[in-house]
Amino acid sequence: MQILLNGENTEVSDALSVQGLIEQLELTGRRIAVEVNEDIVPRSEHAEHQLAAGDRIEIVHAIGGG
């Protein structure tokens, strides 16, 4: 299926969860925030939140500093 990932059209497998996408992108264990269609998906819901064709996903890396 086709999704929009950080502004780019991306082809991913059907029945993919947010967690599955994170694993495919090799971002597991990193401090990231995931937004699907302008709604933040809490980390506790990544495994159960299923993506759909046409979803707009933004993944942002958390950067510390001060």
Side-chain angles (χ1 to χ4, degrees), residues 2-65:
Q2 194 84 334
I3 61 171
L4 192 64
L5 176 61
N6 291 347
E8 294 186 23
N9 287 319
T10 304
E11 185 72 30
V12 296
S13 57
D14 292 338
L16 188 66
S17 67
V18 169
Q19 182 63 41
L21 178 62
I22 291 169
E23 290 169 0
Q24 281 188 4
L25 298 173
E26 299 180 357
L27 297 174
T28 304
R30 298 209 182 157
R31 297 187 67 196
I32 59 172
V34 180
E35 183 181 277
V36 177
N37 300 323
E38 300 182 3
D39 291 321
I40 293 177
V41 178
R43 186 178 301 269
S44 61
E45 296 177 16
H46 285 183
E48 57 205 39
H49 189 104
Q50 295 296 310
L51 299 177
D55 277 350
R56 294 178 323 241
I57 294 100
E58 293 290 326
I59 298 178
V60 180
H61 296 267
I63 299 174

